[in-house]
Amino acid sequence: MDIFLQQLINGLVLGSVYALVALGYTMVYGILELINFAHGEITMIGAMVALAVIGALTLAAPGAPGVLLLGAGLAVAIPVCVALGLVIERVAYRPLRHAPRLAPLITAIGVSIVLQNVAMMIWGKQYIPFPGILPQGRHEILGATVSDVQVAILVLAVIIMLMLILVVQKTRLGRAMRATAQSRQVASLMGVDVNRVIAATFAIGSALAAVAGVMVSAYYGLAHYYMGFLLGLKAFSAAVLGGIGNLGGAMLGGLLLGLIESFGAGYIGDLTGGFLGSNYQDVFAFFVLIAVLVFRPSGLLGARGAERA
Amino acid sequence: MSALLAVNQLSVAYGGIQAVRELNLTVASGEMVCLIGANGAGKTTTLKALSGLLAPRSGSVHFDGQPIARLPPHEIARRGLALVPEGRGMFPRMSVAENLMMGAYARNDRAAIARDLDQVYALLPRLTERRAQLAGLLSGGEQQMLALGRAMMARPRLLLLDEPSMGLAPLMVQAVFDIIRKIAADGVAVLLIEQNAHLALKTCSRGYVLENGVVAASGAAADLAADPAVRQAYLGE
C-alpha cells in the first residue's frame, strides 16, 4: 500500500508541473491552432535564469533565507520568460499568421533549437545543480514520504491553476481570449485588439512555463540546456491527451501523464517480471498516450466536431 | 453633405478578383439604406471592407467625417460601426449573456452597460429565457436575434447587416426585421445587405443595386421597387 501511495504522491507532483507547461501549449493552440514547440525551451530558460540569479545571490548574500532566494530567482525568471515569449510570437509567428500551417511549425522548431544552443553557449553542457537553499524536510504519511519541495510544488501549482481559471472565466481579458479562440474575426468586430490578446496569451503561458521550469529543477535538483525538450514533449502530449485547446484538458492530461509515468516507474518491473526496469517509465507513459488517442483522437476532454463549428 | 458614412470610389479585391469597383455610397445619420444584388455581386465584400476585415485596394471611407479605410477592425468597431456578419458570427461556446457582454467589450461605463443589457433583453424576450444557454445551441433565428442584440450592446451609430434573413423561416424573418426596424427607430443608421430585395426595399428608405461589383442603380427604395429593370432582375417579375 505504501508504494501505491508513494507513486500517487510522486505522480501528482510531477503531473502538476506537466499541467502548468501543458497549459501554455493548449492556450496558444486554442487561439492560433499553432503548436509552439519553443515552449519547452522557455521552461528551460526559466530554470536556468532562476538558477543563475540564485547562484549570484548566494555568493553576494550568504546566509540569506532560501525562500527569499527562490523568490528572487522567480522574480527575474518570470519577466525574462514573458519577454522571450512575446519576442518569439512577434518575430517567429506573427509574420506567418496567414502562411500555410507548416511554416510556423518550422519556425517553432527553429526557435527551439536556437534557444537550446544559446543556453548551451551561456551555461555550458554540464548539469547545473540546484543549490541547497530549500528546506529539506520530509514527512511520513501512511508509510509514504513527502518532501517539503513536493508539497510546495503541488500547492503552488494548484493555486496558479485556480488563478488561471479565474482569469479566463471571469475577467475581461479572459473573455477576450475565449472569444478570440472561437472566432478571431468576430472578436475583432467586437473591438477586441486580437494581436494584443494573442500576445497576452503568450505572456501568460510563458510565465507559467518559467514557474514550471524552476519547479522541475528544484524537484530533480538540477537544470540542463536540453531539459526543455523532453519536458516540452511530455507536456505537449499531456495537452493532446486532455484535448488540445481545452484548459481543463491540459490540467487533467498533465496530472494523468504524471500519474501514469509514476505508476509505470513503480510497477513496470513487477508487471514485466523484471524484464523492463523503472527507467522505461517514459516508454510506458507514451504507450498509454497512444492507446488513449487511438480510441479518443480528440483527447479526453477534446471538442467534438459539432461543438467546434 | 454631412453623411454619417461616406464611401468614395472604393475598390476591393478579394481572392485575386476585383470584387468591388469604384463604389460610391452614403448613409446619413439614422437612415436605413439597403444594398441589393445577386450572389457574388460584391455585397459582403463591401461590408467586410467597411468594417476593416478586408483592406480596400483604393478609395476612401469616412465615418463621421474621419477616414477609417485603413484602420484595423477593432478600431473601426470602437468608433461606433457594428457589423453583424454573414452567418451571425456567434461565439458558440459562450453563453447568450456572455455573447451580449462581448458586444460591450470596448465600453467601460458599467452602469450604462447594465441598462443596455436590460433593454436588449426587453427587446428580445426569447434571449432572456436562454441567457445561460450556449449560443451554439440556439436556433438560427435566435442566433440572428442574439447577433443583433450583441451589436446593440456596442451602442453603434451605424449597423451593418449582412443577410439577416438567410436560412430563416418566413415567420422568423418577420420577427428579425421587426427588431431591425425597432433598432432603426431608436436612431441607429442601418446599411442592410439582402438577397431578398423585396423585403429590403420595403424596409429601407434608400437603396443601391450592385451588379458585378459596380453600382448599377440607386435611389429611393420606392423608385427602385418601381423600376422595371430592378423588378425584372431582383423582384422576380
Side-chain angles (χ1 to χ4, degrees), chain A residues 172 178 182 186 188-189 191-192, chain B residues 77-78 89 91-93 98 105:
Chain A
R172 188 165 175 270
R178 285 181 293 134
Q182 292 177 42
V186 181
S188 73
L189 292 175
V192 176
Chain B
R78 287 173 186 195
F91 298 116
R93 283 166 281 147
E98 276 188 310
Y105 177 81

Side-chain angles (χ1 to χ4, degrees), chain A residues 22-252:
Chain A
L23 282 167
Y25 280 102
T26 226
M27 283 195 296
V28 166
Y29 185 88
I31 287 189
L32 290 178
E33 301 206 349
L34 161 80
I35 293 158
N36 174 17
F37 269 120
H39 191 61
E41 269 56 50
I42 296 181
T43 62
M44 175 271 291
I45 298 286
M48 291 297 203
V49 168
L51 280 186
V53 169
I54 292 168
L57 285 179
T58 325
L59 288 179
V67 178
L68 214 63
L69 292 172
L70 184 68
L74 279 170
V76 177
I78 291 172
V80 166
C81 286
V82 167
L84 188 61
L86 290 175
V87 169
I88 293 171
E89 189 272 324
R90 189 71 190 80
V91 172
Y93 302 144
R94 198 183 297 181
L96 297 172
R97 189 96 34 94
H98 302 286
R101 284 178 61 183
L102 271 181
L105 196 66
I106 300 298
T107 55
I109 294 170
V111 169
S112 158
I113 293 171
V114 167
L115 289 179
Q116 276 174 22
N117 281 280
V118 167
M120 191 181 75
M121 285 189 283
I122 298 176
W123 290 290
K125 282 187 171 182
Q126 72 278 13
Y127 287 91
I128 300 172
F130 198 95
I133 57 163
L134 297 177
Q136 298 295 319
R138 296 182 162 274
H139 314 278
E140 290 273 321
I141 302 174
L142 302 170
T145 314
V146 193
S147 71
D148 285 343
V149 171
Q150 282 183 315
V151 173
I153 289 175
L154 198 55
V155 170
L156 193 59
V158 168
I159 290 173
I160 290 173
M161 284 191 260
L162 289 177
M163 277 169 54
L164 182 72
I165 291 173
L166 214 62
V167 166
V168 170
Q169 292 300 329
K170 298 290 177 201
T171 66
R172 188 165 175 270
L173 172 65
R175 256 205 310 272
M177 287 170 69
R178 285 181 293 134
T180 305
Q182 292 177 42
S183 171
R184 224 183 296 169
Q185 223 174 50
V186 181
S188 73
L189 292 175
M190 303 292 118
V192 176
D193 185 343
V194 170
N195 279 332
R196 281 183 67 172
V197 169
I198 290 170
T201 306
F202 272 85
I204 294 173
S206 302
L208 299 186
V211 176
V214 175
M215 285 177 172
V216 169
S217 59
Y219 187 61
Y220 290 117
L222 47 84
H224 185 237
Y225 80 96
Y226 204 59
M227 68 185 269
F229 175 73
L230 193 60
L231 178 62
L233 197 61
K234 283 181 181 172
F236 168 61
S237 307
V240 174
L241 177 67
I244 192 142
N246 182 313
L247 292 193
M251 297 178 193
L252 178 69

Side-chain angles (χ1 to χ4, degrees), chain B residues 14 28 31 33 38 68 72 81 84 117 120 140-141 154 161 165 169 171 180 190 197-198 209-210 217 220 235 237:
Chain B
Y14 187 58
E31 194 184 17
V33 177
I68 59 164
L81 190 152
V84 176
L117 191 62
V120 166
L161 302 174
S165 74
L171 266 180
I180 295 171
V190 173
H198 185 74
V209 179
L210 209 55
L235 298 176
E237 286 180 19

Side-chain angles (χ1 to χ4, degrees), chain B residues 35-66:
Chain B
L35 191 57
I36 60 176
N39 230 340
K43 304 186 301 282
T44 295
T45 304
T46 303
L47 287 202
K48 281 191 169 172
L50 296 182
S51 57
L53 294 177
L54 284 176
R57 175 169 282 180
S58 61
S60 71
V61 180
H62 284 77
F63 184 67
D64 206 15
Q66 302 289 318

Side-chain angles (χ1 to χ4, degrees), chain B residues 4-39:
Chain B
L4 178 63
L5 179 76
V7 180
N8 201 357
Q9 296 292 103
L10 183 77
S11 294
V12 193
Y14 187 58
I17 301 161
Q18 185 83 353
V20 173
R21 264 174 295 165
E22 298 174 357
L23 176 89
N24 293 303
L25 179 154
T26 59
V27 180
S29 222
E31 194 184 17
M32 284 186 91
V33 177
C34 64
L35 191 57
I36 60 176
N39 230 340

Side-chain angles (χ1 to χ4, degrees), chain B residues 72-203:
Chain B
H74 67 269
E75 293 279 356
I76 294 177
R78 287 173 186 195
R79 285 166 189 237
L81 190 152
L83 168 65
V84 176
E86 196 177 3
R88 293 140 203 155
M90 291 289 98
F91 298 116
R93 283 166 281 147
M94 283 187 176
S95 69
V96 167
E98 276 188 310
N99 266 274
L100 288 174
M101 284 312 289
M102 277 311 294
Y105 177 81
R107 299 169 56 186
N108 45 28
D109 42 345
R110 278 183 168 228
I113 291 173
R115 272 200 307 278
D116 288 354
L117 191 62
D118 289 340
Q119 275 187 15
V120 166
Y121 280 133
L123 182 68
L124 306 165
R126 292 177 81 111
L127 295 186
T128 317
E129 304 156 24
R130 290 169 167 70
R131 65 172 85 191
Q133 209 171 82
L134 292 184
L137 302 177
L138 298 180
S139 75
E142 289 163 350
Q143 288 191 353
Q144 189 61 58
M145 289 180 180
L146 177 53
L148 287 170
R150 189 178 61 184
M152 292 320 295
M153 290 301 294
R155 279 214 177 164
R157 280 179 294 163
L158 175 62
L159 195 57
L160 307 180
L161 302 174
D162 194 344
E163 300 270 3
S165 74
M166 192 194 272
L168 302 185
L171 266 180
M172 194 51 97
V173 172
Q174 282 308 322
V176 165
F177 271 74
D178 282 346
I179 293 162
I180 295 171
R181 281 189 210 98
K182 278 184 195 161
I183 291 170
D186 278 346
V188 179
V190 173
L191 178 58
L192 168 73
I193 279 188
E194 258 300 334
Q195 282 208 54
N196 185 341
H198 185 74
L199 182 61
L201 290 173
K202 207 177 72 183
T203 309

